[in-house]
Structures are given as C-alpha cells and as structure tokens.
Amino acid sequence: MSNTEADPAELLCSERPGEGVTVLTPRDVPLGGPRAIRVRRTLPQRQRSLIGAWCFADHYGPQDVSASGGMDVAPHPHTGLQTASWLFSGEIEHRDSIGTHAMVRPGELNLMTAGHGIAHSEVSTPDTSTLHGVQLWIALPGEHRDTVRDFRHYAPPLLDLPGATARVFLGSLAGTTSPVPAFTPLLGAELTVGPGATVALDVDPAFEHGVLQDIGSVTVAGVALDTGELAYLAPGTGRLELANPGTEPARVLLLGGIPFTEELVMWWNFVGRSHEDIAAYREAWQAQADRFSRVEGYQGSTAWLPAPTLPQVRIKPRRNPS
C-alpha cells in the first residue's frame, strides 16, 4: 500500500495515558490512486514512530467497495522496509517487480521485502464487495536495509486458546512460531477474544507491544480501546491481559518487537537514514531506474505513481520518546 498522504512528513495524532498503557489515536487519511479508500493511520505519528521495527500501520474498513470499485494502487516504490499485508475480508491482487503475482486473502500473510528497492501494485479483485484489513511496514536494520528483494506467503493455522483464537504470522506466541524469517525480533498475531472472556498471554518482556483494536469491545490491562486505536506497552511487560466486556467477539492485532534504536528518515514510500537517501530514492523512481525494476501485468489507468515533490525543508529523522 502506498503512503500517498499530501503531507507525509507530519502525522498529528493524540495519545491518552492509562495504567501502564499509552493509547494512540489514529488519523483518518485517504489512500491515493484512481479509486481512493480512507484508512486509519496509527503509526507513525509525533508521539511514537515505531513499535519494535513496526514503523507504519494503516487500518481500513470494513468498507463497502461494490460501487466504488475498491482499491487500485498503481505501481509504486519502496526501499529499506518490508510490507506486511493482512486482510479480515476481501481479496487483493499483488504484483511486484520480482515477478510475483499473488493474492492477499483473509488470515494469510503476504510479506514483501523491499531492501535496495522494489515496486508493486495492489488491486482489489472484482468479486470483492467489502475491504477490511491492515497494511503494516517493518523497518529494516542498517546492515540489511539494502538486502535483496523477496516475497513470502504464509497461512498460519488457527490456534484455540482459553477464551480466544489466534493466528501467529510473525514471531512466537502461545507455543507456536511462524516460519517466516524476520531481520529483527518481531511478533505479529491476530487475536479474537470471545464475549465476556479474559485472556492472559505470556509475552517477551524485552519487547515493546502494541494492540490494535479492530472490532468489538476490548480492554488492554484494564484500558478500553475504540476502533482503530492502538494500545502501547513499554518493555518490561511479561504478561499481557486482554478482556472482552461485550456480547460479541472482539478482534485485535498484537504487534511487538525489540525497541528499534536506529534513526530513520521516512518519507512517502521510502525508509532511509538521511535526507540525501530520500532524495536519491525519489530521483531514481522518477527516472524509472533499474533500482526498482518494472511491475508486469498491471492493468490500471496509469502506468506508475509519480512521487510527490520533496519538501522545501530538510527531512528530519523520526525518534521515539525515551
């Protein structure tokens, strides 16, 4: 998914402190392209840029796209990151410049590694009437930020837990481990908590964690979340408690990782380490250089998405609060 916000350098969100929990409230932004949909963007923002190496989180839907035609994002570039696509409903066709042609389906992870540079397109399928999902980015550490392009698909099994079910798509949780490799220690899982149930999960205390609310009512360590909000827990938490006080199932995404200490410069679809990195990536994309290669088979209304104009000021690194 492309970050096509008009002013991608500044994301203004609010935060609400709780008992050991900080609640990050998303910003509503349009996803660009010929057929735009709106997304709730939780990361990055001024209060917090990353959770572990998770550096970008867009939550969208459920949205009726039967009339609008759904998602159509023309070929666009990425550098220095991985994209993790996760759907709750609908289907999206993925094509990229290493020749991958794959479908994003509910409960299945599509993980694309940009590394030195990649391009891809995303189009919802004609039979999709409702789009509902999350698009996540993972920052690559400095020693791997120019790694080779890659694409992985994984359909995690459904785990039955006391009062909940889970799908672990990255890292380890509840005795199961995803086979998908990561460049830094990470956790990514979908959890559905039953009506009236409370779930206590053993988690790595060296990780910081985020719980992204999707549907239903849920509390994290006693703090209630609204749809699209993300509860942040600092390292030191070894047991995470989720409760559903409602009468319908509640679904969340659990993200975690070792705190990412490197400074990042993020702009549009690029992750680098300096303003000069970003300017070079943009110049290469505008020139349609071999760094990104070409996406074959995309049938949209435009061949590729041009990059926005660089801001007149120097792009500064993003930092988390200490």
Side-chain angles (χ1 to χ4, degrees):
M1 186 176 292
S2 175
N3 175 19
T4 51
E5 194 175 15
D7 186 9
E10 296 293 344
L11 299 178
L12 303 173
C13 302
S14 63
E15 64 179 343
R16 184 175 72 245
E19 187 65 32
V21 177
T22 300
V23 178
L24 306 179
T25 302
R27 180 179 179 179
D28 189 41
V29 299
L31 174 68
R35 301 199 298 262
I37 65 172
R38 300 197 71 82
V39 300
R40 295 174 289 274
R41 182 159 297 162
T42 310
L43 291 176
Q45 55 175 276
R46 284 180 177 174
Q47 289 89 344
R48 175 152 299 277
S49 294
L50 300 99
I51 295 176
W54 300 100
C55 62
F56 185 92
D58 272 359
H59 176 230
Y60 55 92
Q63 181 169 339
D64 183 355
V65 296
S66 55
S68 67
M71 180 185 296
D72 184 354
V73 184
H76 57 279
H78 291 291
T79 59
L81 57 81
Q82 294 176 293
T83 64
S85 301
W86 188 261
L87 282 178
F88 304 121
S89 62
E91 186 179 58
I92 296 172
E93 182 181 42
H94 165 99
R95 297 178 185 270
D96 63 38
S97 54
I98 55 175
T100 307
H101 180 208
M103 295 298 175
V104 186
R105 297 187 177 96
E108 300 180 5
L109 173 71
N110 278 10
L111 184 72
M112 183 183 74
T113 301
H116 185 70
I118 200 169
H120 74 135
S121 63
E122 297 158 292
V123 181
S124 53
T125 58
D127 292 337
T128 295
S129 59
T130 302
L131 269 179
H132 187 189
V134 180
Q135 181 68 40
L136 306 162
W137 292 359
I138 303 164
L140 293 174
E143 62 183 316
H144 297 296
R145 69 188 184 107
D146 286 320
T147 191
V148 296
R149 308 162 182 158
D150 189 33
F151 182 89
R152 304 291 179 103
H153 173 86
Y154 175 55
L158 184 66
L159 302 176
D160 285 320
L161 306 175
T165 59
R167 295 184 188 274
V168 182
F169 53 86
L170 280 176
S172 299
L173 184 71
T176 189
T177 298
S178 166
V180 180
F183 290 89
T184 58
L186 288 175
L187 170 61
E190 175 189 304
L191 292 158
T192 301
V193 184
T198 297
V199 181
L201 300 166
D202 291 326
V203 293
D204 191 332
F207 280 21
E208 51 189 359
H209 292 90
V211 179
L212 179 64
Q213 168 73 358
D214 177 43
I215 60 170
S217 301
V218 73
T219 65
V220 180
V223 178
L225 297 182
D226 291 330
T227 298
E229 290 187 329
L230 189 149
Y232 169 78
L233 297 94
T237 300
R239 197 160 177 82
L240 179 65
E241 184 178 283
L242 305 176
N244 176 3
T247 58
E248 300 292 334
R251 185 169 56 207
V252 300
L253 277 193
L254 174 58
L255 307 175
I258 296 290
F260 195 91
T261 57
E262 298 178 37
E263 286 192 344
L264 298 176
V265 176
M266 295 177 59
W267 181 85
W268 196 43
N269 298 311
F270 305 130
V271 173
R273 296 302 188 276
S274 68
H275 178 98
E276 288 74 21
D277 283 348
I278 300 300
Y281 301 153
R282 182 188 183 279
E283 181 179 2
W285 175 248
Q286 291 299 98
Q288 291 290 276
D290 290 341
R291 179 182 196 116
F292 301 101
S293 298
R294 302 296 178 92
V295 177
E296 302 294 339
Y298 172 73
Q299 301 295 320
S301 59
T302 182
W304 56 287
L305 279 181
T309 302
L310 280 171
Q312 295 299 309
V313 297
R314 186 175 181 82
I315 306 171
K316 296 179 180 180
R318 292 188 177 276
R319 298 181 178 92
N320 275 333
S322 60

